Amino acid sequence: MKNHLEMRLEIPLQTLNLSEDTTKNTRLHAKILGRIFNVNDDEFGLFVLLSILLLGNTVARQMTGIIGISDLINTAGVNQILIVNAINGVLIFITAMLASLIVDRFDRIELLKWTSFAFALMFVVVEIISLVSSSEKITAALVYLMSQQQWLLFPMFFWVLANDIFEIAQAKRLIPAIGSWSFIGKVIGIGATLLPALLFSFGLMENKVLSIEVVIRLNIFYYLLVFIMITIGLKKITLRPLAKTEETIKETLNRGPRFYYGSAFISLFIDRCCIYHRLRCDT
């Protein structure tokens, strides 16, 4: 029989062997993913972190947009969509101008971190409004408008940050690989909104649609998690110093209207009008 000392030593040794096997498997998986995405060993941790940030925001935005617009149609009707989209166009216009004003004047890591915290805070406000207000269409409209801000602000600050982290040679390799996770996030986001219906058909869920309350809480959890991930994961990252700009605030604000009146703002408004007309014809 084994004495007590041998039995005490055996368990730590087995634990050590398991941890060594786990470490080897992790390194092997990292090497495989590194070869697939052309990522060096010293870049792998940063690559994974940035990919998760972009993937998660895309999933959250996709779910929020789908649930928001579907609930808005069900509760407010097609006639209200054009009004909400007009408000959305104005908000995007204002947000884009303000973003262009601050993007080159603040630390990029802090900018993305506090933008994530602001998203979490705004979804908390939407959650409070949904609890206080009896109007479901107001909640749906707010959720949809938030999804459009997720589409605009987070990627804008994210790619500016990525541009400052990587050198030119790194950017050519890593930015396309990181950007590919945005497409994967769209697929996951669409699948997540359809999953409850599939589970309902098998009797595994009581509701066949993803509720807007669940989407709001998932967004709160995700953006708080992003805030923590950026705080911990990017604290040792050194960015290129910001170039001193001689552009005045008035010149920066004037640049926004020229761009949006000429392209994105008009295109977005026309696109929403076409959707509205098509929905009216279908109904």
Side-chain angles (χ1 to χ4, degrees), residues 26-280:
T26 304
R27 290 176 179 174
L28 178 62
H29 294 156
K31 287 183 178 180
I32 293 173
L33 289 175
R35 290 180 180 178
I36 293 174
F37 292 103
N38 194 19
V39 181
N40 298 330
D41 292 341
D42 58 336
E43 303 166 338
F44 188 77
L46 183 59
F47 169 78
V48 170
L49 176 60
L50 294 178
S51 298
I52 291 174
L53 294 180
L54 185 63
L55 173 71
N57 180 74
T58 308
V59 173
R61 171 177 60 83
Q62 200 73 22
M63 293 172 60
T64 306
I66 293 173
I67 298 300
I69 194 66
S70 62
D71 278 30
L72 184 62
I73 293 173
N74 293 332
T75 57
V78 178
N79 294 330
Q80 303 297 322
I81 295 178
L82 189 60
I83 298 174
V84 175
N85 278 310
I87 297 171
N88 177 49
V90 173
L91 287 176
I92 287 178
F93 175 74
I94 295 172
T95 305
M97 284 202 303
L98 293 176
S100 65
L101 184 65
I102 67 174
V103 69
D104 291 327
R105 290 176 166 83
F106 294 94
D107 181 87
R108 307 296 169 77
I109 295 177
E110 295 296 316
L111 193 58
L112 186 63
K113 181 174 73 174
W114 289 106
T115 299
S116 303
F117 185 80
F119 273 133
L121 187 62
M122 290 303 298
F123 275 108
V124 170
V125 173
V126 174
E127 173 75 4
I128 294 172
I129 292 173
S130 68
L131 295 174
V132 174
S133 175
S134 59
S135 178
E136 294 181 358
K137 63 182 180 181
I138 293 177
T139 303
L142 290 174
V143 168
Y144 173 71
L145 292 174
M146 284 297 300
S147 73
Q148 300 304 295
Q149 296 301 311
Q150 290 171 284
W151 163 78
L152 175 67
L153 280 179
F154 193 94
M156 179 190 299
F157 295 150
F158 175 86
W159 288 119
V160 170
L161 172 61
N163 183 65
D164 282 354
I165 290 176
F166 299 122
E167 300 295 335
I168 295 177
Q170 287 179 308
K172 289 180 179 179
R173 289 187 296 105
L174 299 179
I175 284 182
I178 294 171
S180 65
W181 291 100
S182 179
F183 172 76
I184 297 173
K186 289 182 180 180
V187 175
I188 295 174
I190 295 171
T193 57
L194 299 176
L195 183 61
L198 179 63
L199 295 177
F200 177 81
S201 64
F202 288 102
L204 299 176
M205 285 189 68
E206 296 181 357
N207 299 321
K208 63 179 180 179
V209 294
L210 189 65
S211 68
I212 199 166
E213 292 81 9
V214 172
V215 171
I216 293 172
R217 290 160 193 165
L218 286 175
N219 274 280
I220 295 171
F221 172 78
Y222 169 70
Y223 284 108
L224 287 177
L225 181 62
V226 168
F227 178 81
I228 296 171
M229 291 172 64
I230 294 175
T231 302
I232 297 174
L234 298 180
K235 63 180 180 180
K236 295 182 179 180
I237 298 297
T238 302
L239 302 178
R240 292 197 299 269
L242 293 176
K244 293 183 178 180
T245 176
E246 300 296 331
E247 188 178 51
T248 64
I249 293 177
K250 183 178 179 180
E251 291 172 340
T252 304
L253 291 175
N254 287 335
R255 179 157 43 91
R258 288 197 301 270
F259 174 77
Y260 281 93
Y261 279 133
S263 56
F265 182 73
I266 298 294
S267 299
L268 181 66
F269 185 75
I270 293 173
D271 178 62
R272 294 302 186 259
C273 288
C274 292
I275 293 174
Y276 170 77
H277 176 70
R278 188 169 184 178
L279 288 171
R280 289 284 295 171

